[in-house]
């Protein structure tokens, strides 16, 4: 039986399980987000199948957006496939509806399975034992399964079961809009006992087909419920098992019959193979994902679980292989930020995928490559050259930032990020380049990467403005990563990344010309890139303005130092600064307060450009001014804090990020998992505590584990080489596995270059080789 089979794998290993041990109505939406299941193609919130009041069912199909009725395109909340409702003697079985004596749900992070066990008591005190298990297959990304067992413990009972798709779903209302439904039902039919439903997006005729079967087993009797509905009588102590299997396919094909055949044939094949086989493949696929993604910590079980929770959600939202898709700011776990894709995916999520699950990283970059033309259009619209990527992106690659949104104090505010947050274009170039230097994937570069680097450089060359007085190039009217300050000039992050983008494109043009002359000529011809333009990149870059104080503090933007200093008063439970009492958000732009890392983000990304002294003075200056009102902030602070020996602060920042969604630190987890923070937790562990840095072609390792961690182990892929680290307080053990004869670059441990024979573990202590 599928449930027992799944339970065998689960064995309630505490450190791989996130649990809900009682029914807490106030945590309903929070748990729905936390218990989201996903396989990259779909995500489905961890709703209760009987849909208690205030449930927020959310099932999202990566890449399916619609804009009808809203300011901008939204990730569509499609019908909820996990609904299942039982009625016994007229009383509905359900949490909050019927009394219960015990209840728990367990999310198995290892295999992406949600277990549930609730013991109910009806109004006559008769008991019912209810267990369910569900998963979205990681092996077959169109498939989902839910299995429920109901036992009438005390007395015989008439039961009525209903398992049709739940159509009563909507996209959340936002500040200026009400709730929206982004699809209409185009077809409902019954095909050989399977329920078939086809919906269609309102805007673009995108069709999604659902084929569902409800398989019933009572004693030795087995059948398929007609119309997903049946009634039966349970004897005292008897169990009825219901297995709901559904397949979902999306298409833009105009021939709806094809979709029907695809869904129904697929479902038939799955049923023939059997749910157990499906479960086995699902488990195997998760095991494979974890084999490279696992991070093991000894000594701190809570941190260990938090890390697994974060990694689980990273794997659950990783683009399906070959999808050419990316990841929204709230993964596939909620409709916060309308499912839009920000720099979060390029800067915060790419490193995890690049070093553990490279295919997903490629898909994320292809998502951007496929939208190079809309980015060219945006540049043109603003009067620039090259490609200017939108701040918020959805399906089409056009700008999707809403004009209005809710501010930190709940008021409606006008949004300017789409007009001013230009650093996204350099962030994407940075992501392309980082992927290349970490993987050496020449094919990707020849097919897509070089073109992206050149088109983004072109944009910056047209975006900078020459100041005759200072003889420097300025970039005015921007918003940097710190979104508290709008319409500023010469934001250090934007300017430095623009400069980097130009210099790097110049370097890459030389590299391509030398190593791939034919392809270089053909690309230049295709995008009409002239040698004089490439020369111009090199001339502009060194003259882009950046202000640095005598003590080395980089001015976040022109005039920042003149703003009012507000002292943050005290720290919260995670060690994050608190705002002074009665602080008014409305005047925040006139203060030096930061929403999130800005200069420190720059220093992290271009780490080898800055020396330790510069890192230190800037950390000391900006950290006390940062409010961490963005989920992108706390986790990334771990890295400079750890590097500079601020051990306690580093650990606090790590915990604030690692528990961000587990403990609802920002009070908005109900809107969805904070994707960027997931990536931050991974980076904080690897680049903060394990102390890995890439310096040109070299890898340097200088661990600084938190006191509570006695050991940290993980895998790290670098240019077709798998590195397996086991790190303790004063010791690094490294095993290099590769088919290459030589290492991709030199490796320095504790400040000394070391030799690494392939396939052999070598250990080093701070004092030398062991
Ligand atoms: O991309 C971020 C931005 O940096 C801060 N506001 C939220 C966005 C989405 O996470």
């Amino acid at each position: 039986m599928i449930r027992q089979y799944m339970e065998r794998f689960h064995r309630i290993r505490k450190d791989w399980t996130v649990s809900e041990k009682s029914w807490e109505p106030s945590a309903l939406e929070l748990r729905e987000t936390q218990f989201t299941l996903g396989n990259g193609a779909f995500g489905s919130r961890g709703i209760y199948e009987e849909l208690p009041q205030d449930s927020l069912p959310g099932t999202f199909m990566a890449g399916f957006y619609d804009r009808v009725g809203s300011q901008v395109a939204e990730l569509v909340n499609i019908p909820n496939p996990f609904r299942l409702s039982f009625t016994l003697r007229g009383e509905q079985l359900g949490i909050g509806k019927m009394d219960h004596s015990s209840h728990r749900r367990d999310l198995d992070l290892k295999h992406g399975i949600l277990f549930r066990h609730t013991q109910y008591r009806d109004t006559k005190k008769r008991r019912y034992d209810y267990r369910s298990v569900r998963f979205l297959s990681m092996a077959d990304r169109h498939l989902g399964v839910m299995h429920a067992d109901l036992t009438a413990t005390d007395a015989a009972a008439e039961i009525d079961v209903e398992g049709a798709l739940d159509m009563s779903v909507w996209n959340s209302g936002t500040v200026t809009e009400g709730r929206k439904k982004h699809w209409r039902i185009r077809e409902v039919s019954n095909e050989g006992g399977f329920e078939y439903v086809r919906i269609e997006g309102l805007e673009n005729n995108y069709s999604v087909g659902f084929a569902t079967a409800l398989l019933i087993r009572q004693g030795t009797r087995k059948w398929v419920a007609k119309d997903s509905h049946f009634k039966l009588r349970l004897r005292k102590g008897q169990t009825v098992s219901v297995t709901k299997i559904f397949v979902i396919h999306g298409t833009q094909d105009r021939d709806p019959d094809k979709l029907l055949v695809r869904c129904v044939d697929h479902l038939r094949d799955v049923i023939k193979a059997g749910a157990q086989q499906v479960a086995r493949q699902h488990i195997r696929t998760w095991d494979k994902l974890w084999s490279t993604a696992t991070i093991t910590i000894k000594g701190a079980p809570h941190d260990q679980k938090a890390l697994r929770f974060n990694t689980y959600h990273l794997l659950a939202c990783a683009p399906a292989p070959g999808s050419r898709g990316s990841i929204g700011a709230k993964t596939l776990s909620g409709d916060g930020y309308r499912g839009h894709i920000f720099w979060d995916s390029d800067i915060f999520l790419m490193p995890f995928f690049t070093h553990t699950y490279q295919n997903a990283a490629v898909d994320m970059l292809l998502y951007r490559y496929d939208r190079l033309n809309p980015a060219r259009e945006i540049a043109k619209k603003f009067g620039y050259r090259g490609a200017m990527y939108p701040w918020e992106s959805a399906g089409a690659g056009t700008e999707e930032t809403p004009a209005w949104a809710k501010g930190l104090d709940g008021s409606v505010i006008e949004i300017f990020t789409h007009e001013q947050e230009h650093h996204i274009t350099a962030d994407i170039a940075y992501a392309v380049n980082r992927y290349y230097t970490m993987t050496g994937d020449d094919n990707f570069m020849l097919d897509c990467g070089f073109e992206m680097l050149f088109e983004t450089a072109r944009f910056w060359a047209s975006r900078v403005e020459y100041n005759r007085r200072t003889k420097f190039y300025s970039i005015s009217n921007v918003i940097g990563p710190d979104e508290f300050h709008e319409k500023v000039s010469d934001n250090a992050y934007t300017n430095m990344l623009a400069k980097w983008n130009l210099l790097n494109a110049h370097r890459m043009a030389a590299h391509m010309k030398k190593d791939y002359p034919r392809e270089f000529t053909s690309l230049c011809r295709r995008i009409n890139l002239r040698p004089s333009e490439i020369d111009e990149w090199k001339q502009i870059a060194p003259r882009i303005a950046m202000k640095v104080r005598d003590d080395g503090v980089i001015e976040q933007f022109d005039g920042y130092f003149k703003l009012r200093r507000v002292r943050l008063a005290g720290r919260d439970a995670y060690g994050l600064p608190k705002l002074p009492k009665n602080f008014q958000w409305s005047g925040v732009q006139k203060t030096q307060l930061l929403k999130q890392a800005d200069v420190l983000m720059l220093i992290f990304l271009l780490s080898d450009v800055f020396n330790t002294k510069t890192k230190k003075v800037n950390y000391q200056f900006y950290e006390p001014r940062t409010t961490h009102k963005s989920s992108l902030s706390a986790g990334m602070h771990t890295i400079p804090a750890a590097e500079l020996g601020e051990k306690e602060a580093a650990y606090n920042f790590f915990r604030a990020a690692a528990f961000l969604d587990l403990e609802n630190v920002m009070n908005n987890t109900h809107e969805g998992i904070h994707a960027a923070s997931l990536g931050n937790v991974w980076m904080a562990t690897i680049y903060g505590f394990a102390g890995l840095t890439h310096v040109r072609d070299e890898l340097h390792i200088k661990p600084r584990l938190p006191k509570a961690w006695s050991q940290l182990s993980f895998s790290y892929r670098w240019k077709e080489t798998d590195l397996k680290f086991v790190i303790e307080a004063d010791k690094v053990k490294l095993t290099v596995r590769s088919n290459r004869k030589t290492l991709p670059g030199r490796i320095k441990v504790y400040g000394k270059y070391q030799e690494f024979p392939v396939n052999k573990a070598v250990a080093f202590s701070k004092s030398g080789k062991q």
Side-chain angles (χ1 to χ4, degrees):
M1 288 256 291
I2 186 162
R3 183 174 56 77
Q4 285 85 341
Y5 177 78
M6 289 295 204
E7 277 172 4
R8 259 204 354 250
F9 283 91
H10 178 48
R11 282 187 232 110
I12 314 285
R13 271 179 301 180
K14 267 191 167 174
D15 49 351
W16 280 96
T17 309
V18 174
S19 303
E20 166 186 86
K21 294 186 182 137
S22 62
W23 158 237
E24 272 176 85
S26 61
L28 176 73
E29 293 177 18
L30 169 65
R31 299 273 180 268
E32 287 176 357
T33 297
Q34 292 169 333
F35 290 171
T36 293
L37 299 176
N39 59 18
F42 296 94
S44 196
R45 288 167 64 79
I47 48 132
Y48 289 99
E49 46 270 39
E50 68 273 21
L51 300 179
Q53 198 177 344
D54 297 330
S55 293
L56 218 63
T59 304
F60 305 98
M61 181 172 178
F64 180 20
Y65 293 89
D66 184 274
R67 72 182 70 236
V68 172
S70 62
Q71 295 181 64
V72 287
E74 297 190 324
L75 187 65
V76 176
N77 191 357
I78 60 175
N80 158 28
F82 281 119
R83 186 177 80 108
L84 190 60
S85 101
F86 289 78
T87 309
L88 295 116
R89 300 188 183 89
E91 290 186 48
Q92 206 192 338
L93 195 88
I95 202 89
K97 290 179 184 158
M98 188 182 277
D99 240 3
H100 63 271
S101 56
S102 74
H103 165 75
R104 70 177 292 144
R105 287 196 296 172
D106 296 293
L107 174 65
D108 179 326
L109 303 168
K110 185 108 201 278
H111 296 129
I113 306 166
L114 185 60
F115 293 92
R116 172 181 183 178
H117 185 194
T118 310
Q119 289 180 302
Y120 290 104
R121 260 185 326 234
D122 68 11
T123 47
K124 301 267 174 4
K125 304 282 181 242
R126 287 173 297 220
R127 292 173 301 157
Y128 306 98
D129 188 273
Y130 178 80
R131 292 167 197 260
S132 73
V133 55
R134 69 171 86 151
F135 62 94
L136 278 179
S137 171
M138 195 52 109
D140 175 346
R141 313 231 180 186
H142 298 276
L143 175 66
V145 177
M146 180 159 75
H147 177 93
D149 288 319
L150 175 70
T151 308
T153 315
D154 295 330
E158 300 288 337
I159 71 167
D160 190 311
V161 182
E162 226 272 287
L165 284 182
D166 167 27
M167 303 291 186
S168 64
V169 299
W170 58 79
N171 275 69
S172 302
T174 51
V175 266
T176 51
E177 303 145 23
R179 293 169 171 179
K180 291 134 283 183
K181 211 176 195 96
H182 282 292
W183 46 267
R184 60 171 83 86
I185 301 172
R186 291 306 298 232
E187 202 177 336
V188 179
S189 62
N190 195 291
E191 299 292 321
F194 304 155
E195 191 188 348
Y196 176 73
V197 174
R198 177 167 68 89
I199 62 160
E200 187 179 80
L202 296 183
E203 179 191 29
N204 50 15
N205 302 328
Y206 189 81
S207 277
V208 181
F210 298 75
T212 314
L214 213 57
L215 314 178
I216 324 298
R217 181 195 186 120
Q218 186 186 21
T220 52
R221 246 184 92 212
K222 285 187 198 170
W223 72 100
V224 180
K226 192 163 178 300
D227 296 329
S228 299
H229 178 220
F230 68 94
K231 291 178 186 208
L232 56 76
R233 186 178 162 76
L234 276 184
R235 289 193 308 275
K236 177 181 170 187
Q238 199 180 26
T239 301
V240 60
S241 301
V242 183
T243 308
K244 184 174 189 179
I245 305 183
F246 56 86
V247 299
I248 311 179
H249 285 273
T251 181
Q252 270 168 324
D253 195 322
R254 292 296 155 128
D255 179 357
D257 287 347
K258 275 196 196 154
L259 187 61
L260 184 145
V261 171
R262 197 147 122 222
C263 289
V264 171
D265 283 358
H266 189 169
L267 182 57
R268 197 171 291 124
D269 289 347
V270 169
I271 292 174
K272 211 154 126 205
Q276 195 145 321
Q277 166 74 355
V278 165
R280 193 174 303 130
Q281 284 166 349
H282 168 76
I283 285 172
R284 264 196 217 137
T285 313
W286 267 101
D287 281 340
K288 197 153 168 245
L289 292 175
W290 279 110
S291 68
T292 50
T294 300
I295 299 180
T296 308
I297 299 170
K298 287 197 182 151
H302 292 302
D303 294 348
Q304 171 70 85
K305 192 192 286 184
L307 250 170
R308 286 183 176 150
F309 175 80
N310 282 275
T311 312
Y312 160 78
H313 278 289
L314 280 166
L315 296 173
C317 70
S323 62
R324 303 175 82 102
S326 193
I327 300 172
K330 302 285 184 177
T331 69
L332 294 169
S333 61
D335 60 7
Y337 284 120
R338 306 175 196 244
H340 291 173
I341 290 149
F342 294 69
W343 69 314
D344 307 31
S345 55
D346 311 282
I347 294 293
F348 294 83
L349 296 174
M350 277 292 289
F352 167 78
F353 292 112
T354 304
H355 296 291
T356 63
Y357 181 26
Q358 201 171 308
N359 287 350
V362 176
D363 279 310
M364 290 164 73
L365 293 176
L366 289 173
Y367 166 84
R368 293 298 193 185
Y369 179 71
D370 290 345
R371 285 151 186 84
L372 202 49
N373 274 340
R376 288 180 174 117
E377 288 304 315
I378 299 175
K380 214 182 284 164
K381 180 178 147 207
F382 280 90
Y384 304 126
R385 295 199 305 268
M388 175 182 169
Y389 277 97
W391 174 243
E392 295 188 28
S393 183
T398 45
E399 180 58 77
E400 302 291 354
T401 306
W404 303 91
K406 197 161 69 184
L408 285 172
D409 59 0
S411 62
V412 176
I413 53 168
E414 199 174 347
I415 302 295
F416 298 104
T417 47
H418 56 302
E419 288 166 359
Q420 298 172 26
E421 204 153 350
H422 291 178
H423 65 80
I424 177 89
T425 294
D427 299 331
I428 291 168
Y430 183 92
V432 169
N433 192 68
R434 190 180 187 283
Y435 169 79
Y436 186 35
T437 48
M438 295 299 139
T439 62
D441 185 348
D442 288 310
N443 290 337
F444 169 77
M445 292 306 287
L446 290 169
D447 292 345
C448 317
F450 288 122
E451 187 178 350
M452 293 168 84
L453 295 182
F454 300 160
E455 289 292 25
T456 50
R458 248 182 176 164
F459 162 71
W460 290 113
S462 66
R463 177 65 180 84
V464 295
E465 306 134 45
Y466 187 65
N467 183 326
R468 282 178 195 286
R469 191 177 50 80
T470 61
K471 300 202 171 18
F472 275 91
Y473 288 94
S474 266
I475 304 180
S476 60
N477 204 11
V478 295
I479 298 175
D482 160 32
E483 295 172 336
F484 283 170
H485 298 93
E486 291 164 342
K487 223 178 179 189
V488 300
S489 286
D490 292 330
N491 164 252
Y493 179 94
T494 310
N495 283 20
M496 282 294 283
L497 277 207
K499 172 178 173 168
W500 171 88
N501 199 160
L502 289 164
L503 285 178
N504 184 59
H506 184 272
R507 196 169 59 87
M508 284 295 164
H511 159 53
M512 191 184 182
K513 189 172 173 186
K514 178 168 164 279
D515 292 348
Y516 301 101
R518 215 165 31 87
E519 289 84 349
F520 178 70
T521 311
S522 133
L523 175 60
C524 289
R525 199 172 299 136
R526 182 158 61 79
I527 65 173
N528 195 20
L529 181 64
R530 285 161 287 112
S532 59
E533 263 188 274
I534 300 172
D535 291 344
E536 196 192 11
W537 300 342
K538 192 157 185 212
Q539 282 153 23
I540 294 171
R543 306 209 63 78
I544 294 184
M546 182 164 100
K547 263 202 213 152
V548 185
R549 243 170 34 180
D550 290 346
D551 60 358
V553 177
I554 299 167
E555 187 171 37
Q556 189 180 295
F557 53 82
D558 190 23
Y560 173 85
F561 288 142
K562 293 197 200 108
L563 299 177
R564 182 164 62 88
R565 168 92 199 259
V566 174
R567 285 185 197 275
L568 295 165
R571 303 259 163 181
D572 68 14
Y574 297 94
L576 300 182
K578 285 194 202 156
L579 286 164
K581 271 207 174 102
N582 305 324
F583 179 75
Q584 296 295 316
W585 283 112
S586 54
V588 73
Q589 70 277 12
K590 300 204 178 95
T591 75
Q592 288 187 351
L593 289 181
L594 271 64
K595 180 177 180 188
Q596 64 202 85
D598 194 304
V599 169
L600 294 187
M601 195 68 214
L602 161 69
I603 291 179
F604 167 60
L605 294 185
L606 301 183
S607 178
D608 53 355
V609 170
F610 300 98
N611 61 28
T612 308
K613 181 179 167 271
T614 309
K615 290 179 181 177
K616 190 166 185 165
V617 290
N618 281 282
Y619 176 81
Q620 286 170 343
F621 182 87
Y622 284 107
E623 190 278 327
R625 289 165 171 80
T626 307
T627 63
H628 305 289
K629 288 291 167 196
S630 158
S631 63
L632 277 60
S633 193
M636 81 67 46
H637 272 76
T638 310
I639 300 160
E643 193 178 344
L644 298 168
E646 302 278 347
K647 283 194 161 184
E648 196 186 326
Y651 190 48
N652 284 339
F653 287 128
F654 167 81
R655 296 189 80 255
F659 290 90
L660 193 98
D661 287 316
L662 261 180
E663 297 183 354
N664 197 11
V665 173
M666 300 200 72
N667 224 2
N668 60 2
T669 294
H670 62 278
E671 292 174 6
I673 291 287
H674 295 83
S677 182
L678 305 176
N680 262 341
V681 172
W682 185 86
M683 290 199 284
T685 309
I686 307 301
Y687 304 126
F689 297 139
L692 266 60
T693 38
H694 290 275
V695 182
R696 291 170 302 278
D697 277 349
E698 299 175 356
L699 177 64
H700 296 182
I701 304 144
K702 210 176 196 177
R704 41 247 167 174
L705 297 192
K707 246 204 285 172
W709 299 9
S710 55
Q711 193 181 80
L712 167 66
S713 34
F714 60 92
S715 303
Y716 190 84
R717 192 164 171 78
W718 175 40
K719 287 195 182 163
E720 298 170 330
T721 301
D722 291 311
L723 308 176
K724 171 93 188 121
F725 287 92
V726 181
I727 295 175
E728 291 173 7
D730 291 323
K731 202 164 103 189
V732 174
K733 193 162 98 188
L734 176 54
T735 314
V736 175
R737 290 194 203 288
S738 181
N739 292 331
R740 300 167 54 123
K741 293 221 169 58
T742 54
L743 283 174
R746 290 203 294 172
I747 299 184
K748 220 182 207 183
V749 187
Y750 293 122
K752 286 195 198 121
Y753 289 110
Q754 303 289 359
E755 295 298 322
F756 288 92
V758 172
N759 294 336
K760 201 166 159 244
V762 190
F764 300 92
S765 68
K766 265 190 186 161
S767 48
K769 198 164 174 178
Q770 289 200 317

